[in-house]
Amino acid sequence: MMNLVSRLCGKINPISVKDYREYDGLKALEVCLFNREPNELVDIIKQSNLKGRGGAAFPTGLKWEFVASENNDTKYVVCNADEGEPGTFKDKVLLEGCPLQIIEGMIIAGYAVGANNGYIYIRGEYPRAKKLLIDAISNLEKEGYLGQNILGQEFSFNIEVRSGSGAYICGEETALIKSIEGDAGRARHKPPYPPNEGLWGKPTLVNNVETLANIPLIINMGPEEYKRYGTSSSNGTKLISVSGCVVNKGVFEVEFGITLREILFDICGGLKDGKQLKFIQLGGASGACLPEELLDTKLDFDELRKLDISLGSGAILVVDDTVDLLGFVKTTMEFFKHESCGKCVPCREGNKHIVKILDRIIQGNGTERDLDLLKNISMVMRDCSCCGLGQAAPTALITTMRFFEDEYNDLIHHHYKKDIDKLNREVIVNG
Ligand code: SF4
């Protein structure tokens, strides 16, 4: 386990500027404002090879460069704290444990890209974190680290906190932007991307909580030192949220390159009650379901991409072999059916039809054609949905059909036999 990004969580009063400064807090911001030009900071983040920790793993430095290069007097920085992916609670640990570090990352980002205003969009279910953020912002303003002419320099930066109301779609950046603007949180087609046209049509940098919490560390240690952590393609550490049938649940910070097996057995103590693993779902409800044979896969963006799998938000759900596979997938798809905003056909109709077909198969009335339909609908959703929600919704279905194909085939081909076996047993038992 590592203690880098989360090193201050539980160690200091989360809103105390004094406590934070005792652990080198705000030193990075001071260095930036007094000794660095904005374009140097963009270069440092690019050199660090930091990739977004929210799910898309887009190179952070490149995103900063896109916003910085926009010729516009008004730009924004948005911190995406709408952690709505089921099974994901790692940002909550940072928001409640070291909000000052996230805010420091945001101010540095604002200075680097030329933005003077920022918003933190936090999920409504995190009232404690919201209160801590508001108090932390107020304390930084009192100390001159936020507001007009920060530390007597030309640069000014203000932050407002906005909260969501429980819509999963608002974690998607364009829907989140709509919600901050006061409209219904609905995703829109991209391009234009937020770095070009974001909040109120202005260039907007949207970064995840964990991504921003990495920024002061990179500035303090320098990109080369930072790159000593992790692998050549995935630098630094990752916060993972582990839940399900496992001895030690919770949030752990790990270095990229660790295997899923090491996480499951060395860090989390293996499965509870001596149960056998069925699969782990990596990345939340929209993540892939991986069988035991893939446990030696490394936590590494490139290695996972080779398997056509995304690390997503870093959630790991451990599922034991007593769980009904198709029932699990159906529940997951019902979640997406409920959360789909309904704007585009592949997602709105696809989720509904997948749930219906799965139900038919579970009831014992599935056919070969149903398996083809499931594959076709999920491919259309993945390729044609307007936003990430619809594109990623069928991932559990696609990966279970890939890694547990026999179970789907069994239900299709042997459902009558199963019923007959059951009938036979009942006849024998009842004598
Ligand atoms: S993919 Fe789903 S959530 Fe996204 S815009 Fe389309 S209907 Fe809405």
Side-chain angles (χ1 to χ4, degrees), residues 278-352:
K278 178 80 174 185
F279 59 83
I280 64 164
Q281 191 178 29
L282 183 64
S286 62
C289 298
L290 308 179
E292 184 154 13
E293 299 81 80
L294 290 179
L295 282 189
D296 291 316
T297 306
K298 286 184 178 155
L299 208 67
D300 176 283
F301 293 124
D302 281 6
E303 195 156 319
L304 289 167
R305 197 169 298 127
K306 279 184 213 152
L307 294 169
D308 199 16
I309 287 164
S310 151
L311 173 57
S313 57
I316 294 182
L317 175 66
V318 181
V319 180
D320 69 79
D321 67 353
T322 61
V323 172
D324 171 49
L325 182 79
L326 265 78
F328 175 91
V329 176
K330 189 185 149 206
T331 305
T332 307
M333 296 310 302
E334 277 171 341
F335 169 76
F336 288 112
K337 179 182 150 193
H338 181 262
E339 292 296 336
S340 167
C341 82
K343 180 174 167 177
C344 65
V345 173
C347 171
R348 185 185 65 225
E349 298 302 320
N351 281 309
K352 268 190 226 164

Side-chain angles (χ1 to χ4, degrees), residues 2 4 53 225-238 254-258 299-300:
M2 295 289 298
L4 199 67
R53 302 295 197 242
E225 176 70 18
Y226 181 80
K227 282 203 286 191
R228 288 179 52 200
Y229 295 96
T231 66
S232 56
S233 67
S234 306
N235 296 107
T237 61
K238 182 81 193 79
V254 296
E255 194 171 354
F256 278 107
I258 191 171
L299 208 67
D300 176 283

Side-chain angles (χ1 to χ4, degrees), residues 7 43 301 385 393:
R7 75 198 193 291
D43 285 343
F301 293 124
S385 292

Side-chain angles (χ1 to χ4, degrees), residues 206-227:
V206 184
N207 278 157
N208 161 265
V209 166
E210 188 185 345
T211 312
L212 289 165
N214 270 272
I215 302 299
L217 300 176
I218 295 170
I219 303 294
N220 282 336
M221 68 171 66
E224 291 312 316
E225 176 70 18
Y226 181 80
K227 282 203 286 191

Side-chain angles (χ1 to χ4, degrees), residues 278 324-326 360-368 371 374-375 400-401 403-421:
K278 178 80 174 185
D324 171 49
L325 182 79
L326 265 78
R360 190 155 63 225
I361 297 174
I362 289 167
Q363 297 302 323
N365 300 318
T367 62
E368 287 265 3
L371 294 184
L374 285 176
K375 281 183 190 155
T400 50
M401 288 187 82
F403 297 122
F404 300 95
E405 198 181 3
D406 288 353
E407 297 203 21
Y408 284 86
N409 284 329
D410 262 11
L411 266 168
I412 298 291
H413 295 130
H414 303 299
H415 53 92
Y416 292 119
K417 184 172 179 302
K418 271 188 181 171
D419 285 347
I420 290 166
D421 285 346

